[in-house]
Amino acid sequence: MNKFLLILISIITSNVYAEVKFNNAIIKNNFGKKVTAGFIEILSDEDLTIKKVKSEFSQRIEIHSMEMENDVMKMRRIDSPKILKNKPFILKKGGNHLMIYDISKNLDEQKRVKLNFVFLKDNGDELSSDVEFSVQ
């Protein structure tokens, strides 16, 4: 068997890529402000950790939890959020969500924007996916 074919077979069988689906990707219009929120549903066919979310229009994007405590909204950064195999990871209004800081452009001039999600598999492999968000 030639060397090229062996390399190709090892790439195909190494299962570097997980199947990740993204639904309902929405970013709130920032109306010229430097911060806004984003919402999305992510589904994967294997366990993943979100390592980083980045974009061309923001220097910092975090995933936050949101809970009400004594009628006060408490938001906290979630470090290394986990996506469990075949279980939807939901970021939504009134719940866990993306916080997008230091926005460098006015999103009300945009209909759609892209965010890049970087994931870590349990074996240490890294995956990256560009996701198009609707600005609303």
Side-chain angles (χ1 to χ4, degrees):
M1 204 176 265
N2 77 31
K3 207 177 220 182
F4 174 76
L5 187 54
L6 284 174
I7 292 170
L8 182 61
I9 290 170
S10 69
I11 290 171
I12 291 169
T13 59
S14 68
N15 194 20
V16 172
Y17 298 101
E19 183 178 348
V20 183
K21 295 179 182 176
F22 303 91
N23 295 307
N24 305 316
I26 298 168
I27 290 180
K28 286 177 62 174
N29 190 330
N30 69 328
F31 298 104
K33 296 178 183 171
K34 296 290 184 187
V35 66
T36 193
F39 316 105
I40 191 167
E41 181 179 313
I42 304 171
L43 185 64
S44 173
D45 66 351
E46 61 184 274
D47 292 346
L48 298 173
T49 300
I50 299 174
K51 181 178 178 182
K52 185 173 188 168
V53 183
K54 53 189 177 177
S55 77
E56 293 179 358
F57 62 88
S58 169
Q59 295 302 308
R60 188 177 80 181
I61 301 175
E62 298 176 355
I63 297 175
H64 282 198
S65 65
M66 199 288 290
E67 297 174 359
M68 294 299 289
E69 293 178 12
N70 300 322
D71 294 327
V72 177
M73 184 186 315
K74 300 281 186 174
M75 291 190 294
R76 293 182 178 82
R77 179 179 175 186
I78 302 172
D79 293 317
S80 304
K82 304 279 187 208
I83 298 173
L84 301 177
K85 178 181 179 177
N86 298 324
K87 183 176 181 194
F89 181 80
I90 300 172
L91 301 175
K92 63 181 182 175
K93 294 177 185 178
N96 296 350
H97 57 279
L98 291 169
M99 284 301 301
I100 305 165
Y101 297 97
D102 305 321
I103 298 171
S104 61
K105 67 180 175 181
N106 204 352
L107 296 181
D108 63 346
E109 299 168 0
Q110 311 293 313
K111 298 257 188 246
R112 304 188 80 65
V113 294
K114 284 187 185 175
L115 298 183
N116 178 265
F117 284 76
V118 179
F119 302 101
L120 260 180
K121 292 175 58 171
D122 287 344
N123 67 5
D125 287 343
E126 200 171 275
L127 307 170
S128 178
S129 293
D130 286 332
V131 181
E132 194 170 272
F133 280 70
S134 171
V135 177
Q136 298 182 2

Short mmCIF file of all heavy atoms in Angstrom, two decimals, residues 57-105:
data_model
loop_
_atom_site.label_atom_id
_atom_site.label_comp_id
_atom_site.label_asym_id
_atom_site.label_seq_id
_atom_site.Cartn_x
_atom_site.Cartn_y
_atom_site.Cartn_z
N PHE A 57 -15.34 41.71 15.42
CA PHE A 57 -15.88 42.98 15.91
C PHE A 57 -15.86 43.11 17.43
O PHE A 57 -16.33 44.10 17.99
CB PHE A 57 -17.31 43.19 15.40
CG PHE A 57 -18.30 42.16 15.87
CD1 PHE A 57 -18.97 42.33 17.06
CD2 PHE A 57 -18.55 41.03 15.11
CE1 PHE A 57 -19.88 41.38 17.51
CE2 PHE A 57 -19.45 40.07 15.55
CZ PHE A 57 -20.11 40.26 16.75
N SER A 58 -15.30 42.11 18.13
CA SER A 58 -15.25 42.15 19.59
C SER A 58 -13.93 41.57 20.08
O SER A 58 -13.47 40.54 19.58
CB SER A 58 -16.40 41.34 20.17
OG SER A 58 -16.24 41.17 21.55
N GLN A 59 -13.36 42.20 21.08
CA GLN A 59 -12.11 41.71 21.66
C GLN A 59 -12.33 40.67 22.75
O GLN A 59 -11.41 39.97 23.13
CB GLN A 59 -11.30 42.89 22.22
CG GLN A 59 -10.85 43.85 21.17
CD GLN A 59 -9.98 43.18 20.11
OE1 GLN A 59 -9.02 42.51 20.41
NE2 GLN A 59 -10.36 43.34 18.85
N ARG A 60 -13.57 40.57 23.25
CA ARG A 60 -13.83 39.64 24.36
C ARG A 60 -15.25 39.12 24.29
O ARG A 60 -16.21 39.90 24.29
CB ARG A 60 -13.59 40.35 25.69
CG ARG A 60 -13.63 39.42 26.88
CD ARG A 60 -13.31 40.15 28.14
NE ARG A 60 -14.53 40.86 28.55
CZ ARG A 60 -14.61 41.62 29.62
NH1 ARG A 60 -13.57 41.86 30.36
NH2 ARG A 60 -15.74 42.19 29.95
N ILE A 61 -15.38 37.80 24.27
CA ILE A 61 -16.69 37.15 24.31
C ILE A 61 -16.62 36.08 25.40
O ILE A 61 -15.70 35.26 25.43
CB ILE A 61 -17.05 36.52 22.96
CG1 ILE A 61 -17.08 37.59 21.86
CG2 ILE A 61 -18.39 35.78 23.06
CD1 ILE A 61 -17.31 37.04 20.47
N GLU A 62 -17.59 36.11 26.29
CA GLU A 62 -17.66 35.16 27.41
C GLU A 62 -19.02 34.48 27.41
O GLU A 62 -19.99 35.01 26.88
CB GLU A 62 -17.46 35.88 28.74
CG GLU A 62 -16.13 36.57 28.89
CD GLU A 62 -16.00 37.36 30.18
OE1 GLU A 62 -16.98 37.46 30.96
OE2 GLU A 62 -14.89 37.88 30.42
N ILE A 63 -19.06 33.32 28.05
CA ILE A 63 -20.33 32.64 28.28
C ILE A 63 -20.67 32.85 29.75
O ILE A 63 -19.83 32.60 30.62
CB ILE A 63 -20.24 31.16 27.91
CG1 ILE A 63 -19.96 31.04 26.41
CG2 ILE A 63 -21.53 30.43 28.30
CD1 ILE A 63 -19.73 29.65 25.92
N HIS A 64 -21.89 33.33 30.00
CA HIS A 64 -22.32 33.67 31.36
C HIS A 64 -23.52 32.85 31.77
O HIS A 64 -24.40 32.56 30.96
CB HIS A 64 -22.71 35.15 31.44
CG HIS A 64 -21.55 36.08 31.51
ND1 HIS A 64 -21.67 37.37 31.94
CD2 HIS A 64 -20.24 35.91 31.20
CE1 HIS A 64 -20.49 37.96 31.89
NE2 HIS A 64 -19.61 37.09 31.44
N SER A 65 -23.56 32.55 33.06
CA SER A 65 -24.77 32.00 33.66
C SER A 65 -25.60 33.20 34.11
O SER A 65 -25.08 34.30 34.31
CB SER A 65 -24.45 31.11 34.85
OG SER A 65 -23.86 31.85 35.89
N MET A 66 -26.88 32.99 34.26
CA MET A 66 -27.77 34.05 34.74
C MET A 66 -28.78 33.42 35.68
O MET A 66 -29.46 32.47 35.32
CB MET A 66 -28.48 34.74 33.58
CG MET A 66 -29.06 36.12 33.91
SD MET A 66 -30.51 36.17 34.95
CE MET A 66 -31.76 35.49 33.90
N GLU A 67 -28.81 33.93 36.91
CA GLU A 67 -29.76 33.43 37.91
C GLU A 67 -30.34 34.62 38.66
O GLU A 67 -29.70 35.65 38.82
CB GLU A 67 -29.05 32.51 38.90
CG GLU A 67 -28.47 31.26 38.29
CD GLU A 67 -27.66 30.44 39.28
OE1 GLU A 67 -27.54 30.84 40.45
OE2 GLU A 67 -27.15 29.40 38.87
N MET A 68 -31.56 34.44 39.12
CA MET A 68 -32.18 35.46 39.97
C MET A 68 -31.99 35.05 41.43
O MET A 68 -32.29 33.91 41.81
CB MET A 68 -33.67 35.59 39.66
CG MET A 68 -33.98 36.12 38.27
SD MET A 68 -33.34 37.77 37.95
CE MET A 68 -34.41 38.76 38.99
N GLU A 69 -31.44 35.97 42.22
CA GLU A 69 -31.26 35.74 43.66
C GLU A 69 -31.87 36.93 44.39
O GLU A 69 -31.39 38.05 44.26
CB GLU A 69 -29.77 35.64 44.01
CG GLU A 69 -29.08 34.41 43.45
CD GLU A 69 -27.60 34.37 43.78
OE1 GLU A 69 -27.14 35.16 44.63
OE2 GLU A 69 -26.91 33.54 43.17
N ASN A 70 -32.94 36.69 45.15
CA ASN A 70 -33.63 37.75 45.90
C ASN A 70 -33.99 38.93 44.99
O ASN A 70 -33.70 40.08 45.30
CB ASN A 70 -32.77 38.23 47.07
CG ASN A 70 -32.47 37.11 48.04
OD1 ASN A 70 -33.33 36.27 48.30
ND2 ASN A 70 -31.27 37.08 48.56
N ASP A 71 -34.59 38.62 43.86
CA ASP A 71 -35.02 39.62 42.87
C ASP A 71 -33.86 40.41 42.26
O ASP A 71 -34.07 41.50 41.72
CB ASP A 71 -36.04 40.59 43.47
CG ASP A 71 -37.35 39.89 43.82
OD1 ASP A 71 -37.70 38.93 43.10
OD2 ASP A 71 -37.99 40.28 44.80
N VAL A 72 -32.65 39.89 42.34
CA VAL A 72 -31.48 40.52 41.74
C VAL A 72 -30.88 39.55 40.72
O VAL A 72 -30.64 38.39 41.03
CB VAL A 72 -30.42 40.89 42.80
CG1 VAL A 72 -29.17 41.48 42.15
CG2 VAL A 72 -31.00 41.86 43.82
N MET A 73 -30.65 40.06 39.49
CA MET A 73 -30.06 39.24 38.46
C MET A 73 -28.55 39.10 38.73
O MET A 73 -27.85 40.09 38.90
CB MET A 73 -30.26 39.89 37.09
CG MET A 73 -29.76 39.05 35.96
SD MET A 73 -29.83 39.86 34.34
CE MET A 73 -31.43 40.61 34.33
N LYS A 74 -28.08 37.86 38.79
CA LYS A 74 -26.66 37.57 39.01
C LYS A 74 -26.11 36.87 37.78
O LYS A 74 -26.61 35.81 37.39
CB LYS A 74 -26.46 36.65 40.23
CG LYS A 74 -26.99 37.22 41.52
CD LYS A 74 -26.03 38.21 42.08
CE LYS A 74 -26.52 38.66 43.45
NZ LYS A 74 -25.60 39.52 44.12
N MET A 75 -25.11 37.49 37.16
CA MET A 75 -24.44 36.89 36.01
C MET A 75 -23.00 36.57 36.40
O MET A 75 -22.34 37.38 37.03
CB MET A 75 -24.46 37.84 34.81
CG MET A 75 -25.83 38.05 34.23
SD MET A 75 -25.80 38.93 32.66
CE MET A 75 -25.23 40.53 33.18
N ARG A 76 -22.57 35.37 36.00
CA ARG A 76 -21.20 34.95 36.27
C ARG A 76 -20.63 34.26 35.04
O ARG A 76 -21.33 33.53 34.35
CB ARG A 76 -21.17 34.00 37.45
CG ARG A 76 -21.55 34.67 38.76
CD ARG A 76 -21.47 33.72 39.94
NE ARG A 76 -21.80 34.39 41.17
CZ ARG A 76 -23.03 34.61 41.62
NH1 ARG A 76 -24.07 34.21 40.92
NH2 ARG A 76 -23.23 35.22 42.77
N ARG A 77 -19.35 34.49 34.81
CA ARG A 77 -18.66 33.85 33.70
C ARG A 77 -18.57 32.35 33.95
O ARG A 77 -18.29 31.91 35.08
CB ARG A 77 -17.26 34.44 33.56
CG ARG A 77 -16.48 33.82 32.45
CD ARG A 77 -15.11 34.43 32.34
NE ARG A 77 -14.38 33.70 31.33
CZ ARG A 77 -13.13 33.89 31.06
NH1 ARG A 77 -12.45 34.81 31.70
NH2 ARG A 77 -12.55 33.20 30.14
N ILE A 78 -18.82 31.56 32.91
CA ILE A 78 -18.65 30.10 32.99
C ILE A 78 -17.32 29.77 32.33
O ILE A 78 -17.14 30.00 31.13
CB ILE A 78 -19.79 29.35 32.25
CG1 ILE A 78 -21.16 29.72 32.81
CG2 ILE A 78 -19.56 27.85 32.32
CD1 ILE A 78 -22.32 29.17 32.01
N ASP A 79 -16.38 29.28 33.11
CA ASP A 79 -15.09 28.87 32.56
C ASP A 79 -15.21 27.46 31.99
O ASP A 79 -15.77 26.57 32.61
CB ASP A 79 -14.01 28.89 33.65
CG ASP A 79 -13.72 30.30 34.13
OD1 ASP A 79 -13.63 31.21 33.28
OD2 ASP A 79 -13.59 30.50 35.35
N SER A 80 -14.71 27.27 30.80
CA SER A 80 -14.67 25.95 30.14
C SER A 80 -16.03 25.26 30.10
O SER A 80 -16.19 24.14 30.61
CB SER A 80 -13.65 25.05 30.82
OG SER A 80 -12.39 25.65 30.85
N PRO A 81 -17.04 25.91 29.50
CA PRO A 81 -18.37 25.27 29.43
C PRO A 81 -18.33 23.96 28.65
O PRO A 81 -17.63 23.85 27.65
CB PRO A 81 -19.24 26.30 28.73
CG PRO A 81 -18.33 27.34 28.22
CD PRO A 81 -17.00 27.19 28.84
N LYS A 82 -19.07 22.98 29.14
CA LYS A 82 -19.09 21.65 28.56
C LYS A 82 -20.35 21.45 27.72
O LYS A 82 -21.45 21.81 28.13
CB LYS A 82 -19.08 20.58 29.65
CG LYS A 82 -17.93 20.68 30.61
CD LYS A 82 -16.69 20.08 30.04
CE LYS A 82 -15.61 20.06 31.11
NZ LYS A 82 -14.29 20.14 30.57
N ILE A 83 -20.17 20.84 26.57
CA ILE A 83 -21.27 20.39 25.73
C ILE A 83 -21.27 18.87 25.84
O ILE A 83 -20.28 18.22 25.50
CB ILE A 83 -21.10 20.84 24.27
CG1 ILE A 83 -21.09 22.37 24.21
CG2 ILE A 83 -22.20 20.25 23.40
CD1 ILE A 83 -20.78 22.91 22.85
N LEU A 84 -22.35 18.32 26.35
CA LEU A 84 -22.44 16.88 26.52
C LEU A 84 -23.02 16.23 25.27
O LEU A 84 -23.92 16.78 24.63
CB LEU A 84 -23.30 16.54 27.74
CG LEU A 84 -22.79 17.12 29.06
CD1 LEU A 84 -23.77 16.80 30.18
CD2 LEU A 84 -21.39 16.62 29.38
N LYS A 85 -22.51 15.06 24.94
CA LYS A 85 -22.92 14.31 23.75
C LYS A 85 -24.44 14.21 23.65
O LYS A 85 -25.11 13.80 24.61
CB LYS A 85 -22.30 12.92 23.80
CG LYS A 85 -22.70 12.03 22.65
CD LYS A 85 -22.06 10.67 22.80
CE LYS A 85 -22.47 9.77 21.65
NZ LYS A 85 -21.81 8.47 21.72
N ASN A 86 -24.97 14.64 22.51
CA ASN A 86 -26.39 14.54 22.17
C ASN A 86 -27.32 15.28 23.13
O ASN A 86 -28.52 14.99 23.18
CB ASN A 86 -26.82 13.08 22.04
CG ASN A 86 -26.08 12.38 20.93
OD1 ASN A 86 -25.78 12.97 19.88
ND2 ASN A 86 -25.74 11.12 21.14
N LYS A 87 -26.79 16.22 23.90
CA LYS A 87 -27.61 17.02 24.81
C LYS A 87 -27.47 18.49 24.39
O LYS A 87 -26.36 19.02 24.37
CB LYS A 87 -27.18 16.85 26.26
CG LYS A 87 -28.05 17.62 27.22
CD LYS A 87 -27.67 17.36 28.65
CE LYS A 87 -28.63 18.18 29.51
NZ LYS A 87 -28.20 18.29 30.87
N PRO A 88 -28.57 19.15 24.05
CA PRO A 88 -28.46 20.55 23.61
C PRO A 88 -27.83 21.45 24.67
O PRO A 88 -28.18 21.37 25.85
CB PRO A 88 -29.91 20.97 23.36
CG PRO A 88 -30.69 19.71 23.24
CD PRO A 88 -29.96 18.68 24.07
N PHE A 89 -26.88 22.27 24.24
CA PHE A 89 -26.28 23.30 25.07
C PHE A 89 -26.97 24.59 24.64
O PHE A 89 -26.79 25.05 23.51
CB PHE A 89 -24.77 23.36 24.82
CG PHE A 89 -24.06 24.39 25.65
CD1 PHE A 89 -23.72 24.12 26.97
CD2 PHE A 89 -23.71 25.61 25.11
CE1 PHE A 89 -23.06 25.07 27.74
CE2 PHE A 89 -23.05 26.56 25.87
CZ PHE A 89 -22.72 26.29 27.18
N ILE A 90 -27.78 25.15 25.53
CA ILE A 90 -28.66 26.26 25.14
C ILE A 90 -28.24 27.54 25.84
O ILE A 90 -28.15 27.60 27.06
CB ILE A 90 -30.13 25.92 25.47
CG1 ILE A 90 -30.55 24.66 24.70
CG2 ILE A 90 -31.03 27.10 25.13
CD1 ILE A 90 -31.90 24.11 25.08
N LEU A 91 -27.98 28.55 25.03
CA LEU A 91 -27.74 29.91 25.51
C LEU A 91 -28.93 30.72 25.06
O LEU A 91 -29.19 30.83 23.85
CB LEU A 91 -26.42 30.45 24.93
CG LEU A 91 -25.18 29.63 25.26
CD1 LEU A 91 -23.95 30.19 24.54
CD2 LEU A 91 -24.94 29.57 26.75
N LYS A 92 -29.71 31.27 26.02
CA LYS A 92 -30.98 31.90 25.67
C LYS A 92 -31.24 33.13 26.52
O LYS A 92 -30.62 33.33 27.58
CB LYS A 92 -32.12 30.91 25.86
CG LYS A 92 -32.29 30.45 27.30
CD LYS A 92 -33.42 29.46 27.45
CE LYS A 92 -33.58 29.08 28.92
NZ LYS A 92 -34.71 28.21 29.12
N LYS A 93 -32.20 33.94 26.06
CA LYS A 93 -32.64 35.10 26.83
C LYS A 93 -33.17 34.64 28.18
O LYS A 93 -33.90 33.66 28.26
CB LYS A 93 -33.74 35.86 26.09
CG LYS A 93 -33.28 36.49 24.81
CD LYS A 93 -34.43 37.17 24.07
CE LYS A 93 -33.95 37.67 22.73
NZ LYS A 93 -35.01 38.29 21.95
N GLY A 94 -32.76 35.32 29.24
CA GLY A 94 -33.22 34.96 30.58
C GLY A 94 -32.50 33.77 31.18
O GLY A 94 -32.86 33.29 32.24
N GLY A 95 -31.46 33.28 30.51
CA GLY A 95 -30.70 32.14 31.01
C GLY A 95 -29.23 32.31 30.68
O GLY A 95 -28.75 33.43 30.51
N ASN A 96 -28.52 31.20 30.59
CA ASN A 96 -27.13 31.28 30.18
C ASN A 96 -27.06 31.91 28.79
O ASN A 96 -27.95 31.70 27.96
CB ASN A 96 -26.50 29.89 30.16
CG ASN A 96 -26.44 29.25 31.53
OD1 ASN A 96 -26.69 29.90 32.54
ND2 ASN A 96 -26.10 27.98 31.57
N HIS A 97 -26.00 32.68 28.53
CA HIS A 97 -25.95 33.46 27.29
C HIS A 97 -24.51 33.86 26.98
O HIS A 97 -23.62 33.74 27.81
CB HIS A 97 -26.81 34.72 27.42
CG HIS A 97 -26.42 35.58 28.58
ND1 HIS A 97 -26.82 35.30 29.87
CD2 HIS A 97 -25.62 36.67 28.66
CE1 HIS A 97 -26.30 36.20 30.70
NE2 HIS A 97 -25.56 37.04 29.99
N LEU A 98 -24.30 34.35 25.76
CA LEU A 98 -23.02 34.95 25.38
C LEU A 98 -23.03 36.41 25.81
O LEU A 98 -24.03 37.10 25.61
CB LEU A 98 -22.82 34.90 23.86
CG LEU A 98 -22.61 33.55 23.21
CD1 LEU A 98 -22.72 33.68 21.69
CD2 LEU A 98 -21.25 32.98 23.58
N MET A 99 -21.93 36.88 26.37
CA MET A 99 -21.73 38.30 26.62
C MET A 99 -20.63 38.76 25.68
O MET A 99 -19.53 38.19 25.68
CB MET A 99 -21.32 38.57 28.07
CG MET A 99 -22.46 38.48 29.06
SD MET A 99 -23.86 39.61 28.77
CE MET A 99 -23.09 41.21 28.82
N ILE A 100 -20.95 39.76 24.88
CA ILE A 100 -20.03 40.25 23.86
C ILE A 100 -19.61 41.67 24.25
O ILE A 100 -20.45 42.56 24.33
CB ILE A 100 -20.69 40.21 22.47
CG1 ILE A 100 -21.19 38.78 22.20
CG2 ILE A 100 -19.73 40.69 21.40
CD1 ILE A 100 -22.16 38.65 21.07
N TYR A 101 -18.31 41.85 24.52
CA TYR A 101 -17.78 43.10 25.05
C TYR A 101 -16.91 43.82 24.01
O TYR A 101 -16.45 43.21 23.05
CB TYR A 101 -16.89 42.83 26.27
CG TYR A 101 -17.61 42.22 27.44
CD1 TYR A 101 -17.59 40.85 27.66
CD2 TYR A 101 -18.29 43.02 28.35
CE1 TYR A 101 -18.22 40.29 28.76
CE2 TYR A 101 -18.92 42.48 29.45
CZ TYR A 101 -18.88 41.11 29.64
OH TYR A 101 -19.51 40.56 30.74
N ASP A 102 -16.65 45.10 24.30
CA ASP A 102 -15.70 45.89 23.51
C ASP A 102 -16.01 45.82 22.01
O ASP A 102 -15.12 45.61 21.18
CB ASP A 102 -14.26 45.44 23.77
CG ASP A 102 -13.91 45.48 25.24
OD1 ASP A 102 -14.35 46.42 25.93
OD2 ASP A 102 -13.21 44.57 25.71
N ILE A 103 -17.28 46.02 21.67
CA ILE A 103 -17.71 45.94 20.28
C ILE A 103 -17.16 47.14 19.51
O ILE A 103 -17.31 48.28 19.92
CB ILE A 103 -19.25 45.87 20.20
CG1 ILE A 103 -19.73 44.60 20.91
CG2 ILE A 103 -19.72 45.90 18.75
CD1 ILE A 103 -21.22 44.52 21.08
N SER A 104 -16.54 46.83 18.37
CA SER A 104 -15.86 47.87 17.60
C SER A 104 -16.70 48.45 16.46
O SER A 104 -16.25 49.37 15.79
CB SER A 104 -14.55 47.32 17.03
OG SER A 104 -14.82 46.23 16.16
N LYS A 105 -17.90 47.91 16.22
CA LYS A 105 -18.74 48.48 15.17
C LYS A 105 -20.21 48.42 15.58
O LYS A 105 -20.60 47.66 16.45
CB LYS A 105 -18.51 47.78 13.84
CG LYS A 105 -18.94 46.34 13.75
CD LYS A 105 -18.64 45.82 12.36
CE LYS A 105 -18.93 44.36 12.22
NZ LYS A 105 -18.60 43.85 10.91
#
